[in-house]
Amino acid sequence: MMILKAYTVPHPPIIIPEIGRGEERKIQATIDAYHAIAKEIRDLQPDTIIISSPHSTVYSNYFHISPHSKASGSFISFGFPTISTNVSYDTTLVQRIEELAILSDIPAGTQGERDNQLDHGVLVPLYFINQYYSDYKLVRIGPSGLSSQEHYRLGQTIQKALDSDKKVIYIASGDLSHKLKKDGPYGFVKEGPIFDREIVSILNEANFLKLLSLDSTLCHKAAECGYGSFNIMAGVLDGYDVISNVYSYEGPFGVGYVVAGFTPTSPNINRHFLSQYNESLQEGQRSIRNHEDEYVTLARQSLEYYINHHKPLPRPKNLSKELTSSKAGVFVSLHKNGRLRGCIGTTGPTTICIADEIIHNAISAGTRDPRFPKVTAKELPDIIYSVDVLFPPEAITSINDLDPKRYGVIVKSGYKSGLLLPNLNGVDTAEEQVDIARQKAGIHKKDNYTLKRFEVIRHH
């Protein structure tokens, strides 16, 4: 059974009249759109409503599905404990999704719920729906820090889990950029309105391939909270023609709110977007490997050999003298699906040559970066490598001596030290560069610290 309909909705608590106290009238178009979709849901009479909310229990590498049979929640954190909702969960569908996720090697399940209270990402849409219809059970899912592709795969799994005897709708709860206005609560960045325009266009066209491919740096800079939910929804609609309708978009408070609906119609083999995305990605990776230099090739061979043979790669005999006769610090960076997957390096030489430095640090980047689990053999074809060979760092006296496109930075305070490479996507100013390096080292902004800069030769 295909999903009956899917929606994207925002979740500003200010939309509730008691909380907004008149301010909600500034987003009247969103209110009207909410009433319109609530009436549609009443007419559809679903047995189950699935809601993904970024304010549910969220993990970096795991999709949490709320367990138990019942749940409740209120707007107590916004000062209104009497505005509350009670729901029953569809435990049968929850169990089915969890089982299929395990079979599909998707990290999703019901373990590790930190708070069983319904969050406002769920409460806001239910506030409107319950005015018209309440004879349903709920499934609540938290997005994760995993890639857009993994969110889409979870959506595909949800589609497979649907029972032919149940009528189900999907609600992707999430706001767009939180940085649309200088006088807004989160300030303004130029990426904010760019992101919102992209998303509204994507939703209007139901162009989920473009949704999957959206630049992760743009999403991060825009400070959005709906992208993960939207990708799960796209996966739920995988393989079907879709009639789309954007009911409203507005952002008077500096946060983007979009309400859109999607009605699946007939199957369409041309709308399996994840396979299209992966084919495009693999073609790009083949092209990259055809043009990689010996530094990158050595890094790739080193990690692949270690993962497959459980021991370091013996230094190849056909390397250039540049690799075997010179010493330098080296950083090896791994990316997967456009996201960092590991990065380890040395600021100065620790081995007898650059080649050995690359071999050692490539293995460490894939298996010893504490921010990530170890790279698996299954992931190796998807890894993109870059190798930075460092020039010796030099002390500087002012942040004005930095240029994030040319220089990397080392921030040091006592025994704490943080490093950031140059010319990274999303790092546009020296202030951003120093802040990221400082935070990596656990150095407080008010601590006394010194700065060093360095240049690199990047191979990628």
Side-chain angles (χ1 to χ4, degrees):
M1 177 66 180
M2 186 54 203
I3 205 105
L4 289 176
K5 192 154 186 176
Y7 298 94
T8 64
V9 298
H11 47 241
I14 200 172
I15 204 172
I16 310 301
E18 293 89 337
I19 299 174
R21 297 182 179 182
E23 287 295 293
E24 75 278 3
R25 290 192 288 269
K26 294 179 181 178
I27 49 172
Q28 190 62 47
T30 302
I31 294 172
D32 294 343
Y34 249 125
H35 282 292
I37 67 169
K39 291 175 182 177
E40 289 181 9
I41 292 169
R42 174 200 61 196
D43 295 339
L44 291 169
Q45 295 189 327
D47 301 301
T48 300
I49 296 175
I50 304 172
I51 300 184
S52 54
S53 166
H55 298 285
S56 179
T57 298
V58 174
Y59 290 95
S60 63
N61 59 354
Y62 175 76
F63 297 103
H64 182 265
I65 308 170
S66 293
H68 311 303
S69 59
K70 297 180 183 293
S72 62
S74 74
F75 288 95
I76 186 171
S77 59
F78 299 93
F80 291 87
T82 58
I83 308 175
S84 60
T85 298
N86 299 300
V87 299
S88 294
Y89 283 132
D90 186 338
T91 54
T92 302
L93 182 54
V94 167
Q95 181 179 356
R96 179 67 175 153
I97 294 171
E98 186 173 25
E99 289 172 350
L100 288 178
I102 292 170
L103 290 174
S104 301
D105 198 25
I106 296 172
T110 55
Q111 302 301 310
E113 182 160 66
R114 293 193 288 260
D115 186 357
N116 63 2
Q117 294 291 302
L118 300 177
D119 62 277
H120 71 271
V122 172
L123 290 170
V124 169
L126 293 189
Y127 171 86
F128 289 95
I129 292 168
N130 288 344
Q131 294 178 44
Y132 299 90
Y133 182 74
S134 57
D135 189 19
Y136 61 86
K137 290 187 176 181
L138 192 75
V139 173
R140 182 174 69 145
I141 299 174
S144 74
L146 295 167
S147 68
S148 58
Q149 297 79 47
E150 287 299 294
H151 285 77
Y152 195 99
R153 288 183 65 221
L154 177 61
Q156 290 176 307
T157 300
I158 292 170
Q159 183 191 119
K160 292 176 184 177
L162 299 181
D163 191 315
S164 60
D165 295 330
K166 282 185 179 178
K167 296 188 292 184
V168 182
I169 68 166
Y170 190 92
I171 295 178
S173 179
D175 299 332
L176 302 192
S177 173
H178 288 60
K179 295 192 173 184
L180 298 179
K181 298 178 68 176
K182 289 182 179 179
D183 58 351
Y186 306 98
F188 172 82
V189 295
K190 66 181 186 300
E191 290 83 3
I194 294 173
F195 174 84
D196 280 22
R197 285 195 298 270
E198 287 282 335
I199 288 292
V200 172
S201 174
I202 286 168
L203 298 181
N204 188 54
E205 299 171 0
N207 187 345
F208 301 140
L209 178 59
K210 190 173 182 181
L211 182 72
L212 273 170
S213 309
L214 208 58
D215 179 27
S216 59
T217 300
L218 173 65
C219 298
H220 174 73
K221 290 262 189 176
E224 53 74 35
C225 76
Y227 185 56
S229 283
F230 299 166
N231 275 291
I232 299 173
M233 180 200 73
V236 171
L237 297 168
D238 180 67
Y240 282 82
D241 281 324
V242 171
I243 299 172
S244 59
N245 178 27
V246 174
Y247 297 79
S248 66
Y249 168 78
E250 52 191 347
F253 304 124
V255 180
Y257 306 136
V258 64
V259 179
F262 306 88
T263 305
T265 55
S266 55
N268 184 342
I269 61 172
N270 294 316
R271 289 184 64 83
H272 292 294
F273 293 120
L274 184 59
S275 59
Q276 293 177 32
Y277 177 87
N278 287 335
E279 287 171 9
S280 174
L281 191 65
Q282 289 167 9
E283 183 178 339
Q285 289 169 338
R286 285 193 294 268
S287 176
I288 287 171
R289 291 192 176 188
N290 288 337
H291 293 87
E292 66 185 19
D293 68 10
E294 64 174 341
Y295 288 76
V296 177
T297 297
L298 180 59
R300 176 172 57 79
Q301 291 174 342
S302 300
L303 182 57
E304 291 178 349
Y305 189 91
Y306 185 84
I307 296 297
N308 290 321
H309 298 88
H310 311 292
K311 59 182 179 181
L313 173 76
R315 189 200 307 164
K317 299 183 182 300
N318 58 345
L319 299 177
S320 67
K321 286 187 177 181
E322 187 178 346
L323 281 169
T324 57
S325 300
S326 301
K327 295 183 180 182
V330 169
F331 270 76
V332 176
S333 302
L334 315 178
H335 285 82
K336 177 185 173 185
N337 297 329
R339 294 189 175 198
L340 185 68
R341 185 60 181 85
C343 180
I344 294 289
T346 46
T347 57
T350 61
T351 61
I352 63 172
C353 65
I354 291 175
D356 287 0
E357 209 82 27
I358 292 173
I359 292 170
H360 181 270
N361 291 342
I363 294 169
S364 295
T367 64
R368 301 184 187 115
D369 189 327
R371 298 169 293 179
F372 303 97
K374 293 180 180 180
V375 170
T376 64
K378 182 180 176 181
E379 293 179 277
L380 290 173
D382 300 325
I383 301 295
I384 300 297
Y385 299 77
S386 65
V387 176
D388 289 282
V389 180
L390 278 63
F391 290 94
E394 58 180 357
I396 58 175
T397 58
S398 169
I399 198 171
N400 295 325
D401 295 325
L402 290 173
D403 176 351
K405 299 302 179 186
R406 178 181 177 184
Y407 297 110
V409 67
I410 300 172
V411 183
K412 187 171 184 180
S413 178
Y415 65 90
K416 296 178 180 179
S417 181
L419 178 147
L420 198 69
L421 295 169
N423 199 23
L424 299 178
N425 286 337
V427 182
D428 300 320
T429 68
E431 288 77 12
E432 289 177 314
Q433 187 183 39
V434 170
D435 280 345
I436 295 170
R438 177 180 54 75
Q439 291 168 21
K440 285 174 66 176
I443 299 172
H444 193 274
K445 195 170 186 177
K446 294 182 180 179
D447 291 343
N448 292 322
Y449 55 81
T450 60
L451 299 175
K452 289 185 177 181
R453 70 183 187 187
F454 58 90
E455 293 185 84
V456 305
I457 298 175
R458 177 161 295 164
H459 302 263
H460 56 80

